[in-house]
Amino acid sequence: MNWGKNVTMIGAVRTTGLVTLRSMEGAMKTMDFLQFVARDLVPKLKLDDVVVLDNLRQHHDPRVRLMIENAGAKVLYLPPYCPGPQPHRAVLVGLQSVPAPLRSAHQRSPLRRDTRGPKAANPDS
């Protein structure tokens, strides 16, 4: 059952932690991903960083590779199917450790919907 609007989260991590994180309402389109790469990812890339992408169609736009490589980083794509451990999945679990300011901003987001019912939203009633 869907209780509200879909929210897409996209981010980047390195071994030292979270690099960038963005959320958007609805499904991510190619232009959304290109904007994320240009505005959020590329300014934070370091020389010889490696950006690992899965095979989402939007990741294969030639402009993605061009922007990343122009920043001095490399692009690697995951194979179409990866039967072994998937370290990028662990990142999703690790998002529970997102810094408090980001968590509290998400909790105040108009996209967040309280599904606990009216009494939980207003405990005095």
Side-chain angles (χ1 to χ4, degrees), residues 99-109:
L102 287 176
R103 275 198 320 271
S104 63
H106 168 70
Q107 290 168 349
R108 292 187 310 270
S109 168

Side-chain angles (χ1 to χ4, degrees), residues 3-124:
W3 291 99
K5 297 180 181 182
N6 291 329
V7 176
T8 298
M9 290 188 69
I10 183 169
V13 294
R14 57 171 44 104
T15 56
T16 56
L18 188 65
V19 175
T20 185
L21 183 64
R22 176 189 277 199
S23 63
M24 65 188 76
E25 193 174 302
M28 183 179 62
K29 297 172 183 58
T30 300
M31 288 309 297
D32 299 323
F33 186 66
L34 290 170
Q35 287 177 354
F36 167 78
V37 170
R39 294 179 184 168
D40 299 316
L41 180 62
V42 166
K44 296 177 181 171
L45 288 175
K46 298 177 182 175
L47 187 63
D48 293 326
D49 271 352
V50 177
V51 177
V52 179
L53 300 168
D54 63 15
N55 287 290
L56 185 67
R57 180 178 43 87
Q58 290 85 341
H59 297 170
H60 284 276
D61 187 293
R63 295 170 287 185
V64 171
R65 180 181 289 274
L66 184 65
M67 285 189 282
I68 293 170
E69 289 178 346
N70 283 343
K74 296 171 181 61
V75 176
L76 290 177
Y77 290 97
L78 291 174
Y81 173 70
C82 216
Q86 299 181 5
H88 65 286
R89 298 285 183 203
V91 170
L92 298 175
V93 173
L95 284 178
Q96 294 172 355
S97 63
V98 170
L102 287 176
R103 275 198 320 271
S104 63
H106 168 70
Q107 290 168 349
R108 292 187 310 270
S109 168
L111 298 178
R112 183 175 167 82
R113 184 180 185 122
D114 190 345
T115 58
R116 296 173 295 170
K119 289 194 179 207
N122 187 1
D124 296 331

